[in-house]
Amino acid sequence: MITDLYTLFIQPFADFSFMQRALWGCLVLSASATPVGVFLTLRKMSLTGDAMSHAILPGAAIGFLISGVSVTAMTIGGVIAGCIVAILAGVVARHSNAEEDSSLAAFYLLSLASGVLIISAKGSNIDLLHVLFGSTLALNNDALILLTSIATISLLTLAVLYRPLVMECVDPAFFKTVSKLSAVAHYGFLLLVVLNLVAGFHALGTLMAVGLMILPAAVARFWTAKLGGMLLIAFVTSVISGYLGLFLSFHVSLATSPAIVLVMGCIYIVSLLFGRHGGLLFKNSSAY
């Protein structure tokens, strides 16, 4: 029985290097993207993450067409495109009657359409699927180095901006009046969102990367009201989902990126029903 369990759950990751690289990529992304996702949800900016995931597409598409599957070119293009959209949305919101969320929605729709158009005009349907849905099982050493580097930068930056970000979550208007770090925290945080979405893009694709950022954070909110607990639960949820998604992909031949996100979705539904902080069944039983 022990041999059967080893063969089923461990042997794929022990025997195949591509599974090891994919698992390492998921672990690194979990450590980096899920804390950013927790702060996004606490600041009620979940849809901002979705918008930014689409905003990086035209830059990544241009890098892809210029250099092929080049980690460096696609990363530089994605970061530049994401930063441009974030800055444009902020400028439009500050100097017009448009709200920042509506500005982001407008620019991300333009970015998504531009990216798909660029790839469709110059590439193939396979190229489009690669960019939109990623290739988790095809992560190479360059991609893993990039993911690890972005995770290191992201965690160090979060450690520096931790207190300002907490204040932004609690009372952004008050924080803006008493500290000059409000703008630094806001735009620094948006840069972290872009960097982590670019990292997630290499593994999961643009359409799935935001799921790794938002769904674990949404799960964590159903189980605890403490920030430290949310960060831990979100990380564990992401790691478990990454492992189970790879497990299903290997044994059942499912597409890896959707499998990982769907596992997260199942955990979210369970949390929605049974979570101690706002879960539907727990909330209804408490009412009686």
Side-chain angles (χ1 to χ4, degrees):
M1 181 177 178
I2 294 176
T3 303
D4 292 338
L5 290 175
Y6 174 84
T7 301
L8 186 63
F9 291 101
I10 300 177
Q11 189 171 13
F13 300 95
D15 291 351
F16 299 101
S17 60
F18 69 89
M19 292 293 287
Q20 295 169 6
R21 287 194 293 269
L23 183 61
W24 175 252
C26 290
L27 289 173
V28 170
L29 285 172
S30 298
S32 177
T34 52
V36 174
V38 169
F39 281 107
L40 270 176
T41 56
L42 290 177
R43 298 177 68 182
K44 296 179 172 59
M45 294 174 63
S46 299
L47 291 179
T48 299
D50 186 41
M52 297 306 298
S53 70
H54 295 83
I56 68 175
L57 182 59
I62 292 173
F64 178 78
L65 293 178
I66 292 175
S67 302
V69 187
S70 168
V71 172
T72 302
M74 296 172 73
T75 298
I76 293 174
V79 170
I80 291 174
C83 290
I84 289 174
V85 169
I87 293 172
L88 286 175
V91 170
V92 170
R94 289 175 181 270
H95 296 89
S96 71
N97 293 328
E99 298 292 336
E100 189 167 14
D101 59 346
S102 63
S103 302
L104 272 173
F107 284 114
Y108 103 72
L109 287 171
L110 291 173
S111 298
L112 177 61
S114 300
V116 173
L117 186 64
I118 291 170
I119 299 174
S120 299
K122 300 295 183 179
S124 66
N125 290 334
I126 295 177
D127 296 334
L128 181 60
L129 289 174
H130 172 81
V131 173
L132 292 179
F133 299 105
S135 52
T136 310
L137 296 181
L139 290 175
N140 55 28
N141 292 334
D142 291 339
L144 291 182
I145 291 172
L146 172 72
L147 296 183
T148 305
S149 300
I150 288 179
T152 303
I153 294 171
S154 181
L155 290 174
L156 290 175
T157 306
L158 279 174
V160 173
L161 295 179
Y162 184 81
R163 285 183 175 273
L165 287 176
V166 172
M167 289 298 297
E168 283 263 314
C169 294
V170 175
D171 193 340
F174 173 75
F175 182 58
K176 187 181 295 185
T177 60
V178 300
S179 175
K180 296 180 180 180
L181 294 176
S182 177
V184 174
H186 179 71
Y187 287 105
F189 180 67
L190 286 181
L191 178 60
L192 285 182
V193 173
V194 173
L195 284 175
N196 280 278
L197 286 172
V198 169
F201 151 76
H202 285 292
L204 302 177
T206 57
L207 296 183
M208 296 293 173
V210 70
L212 182 69
M213 188 176 289
I214 300 301
L215 282 174
V219 167
R221 295 203 67 181
F222 284 114
W223 295 103
T224 182
K226 296 182 178 180
L227 180 57
M230 287 183 191
L231 293 172
L232 178 60
I233 292 172
F235 172 72
V236 172
T237 300
S238 184
V239 170
I240 292 173
S241 300
Y243 172 81
L244 291 178
L246 291 172
F247 173 86
L248 292 172
S249 176
F250 183 85
H251 287 292
V252 193
S253 299
L254 297 177
T256 310
S257 299
I260 293 173
V261 176
L262 284 175
V263 171
M264 290 182 190
C266 292
I267 297 175
Y268 173 79
I269 292 172
V270 172
S271 302
L272 175 63
L273 294 174
F274 300 104
R276 295 179 59 84
H277 287 266
L280 296 178
L281 297 181
F282 188 87
K283 189 174 182 180
N284 291 336
S285 63
S286 299
Y288 294 103

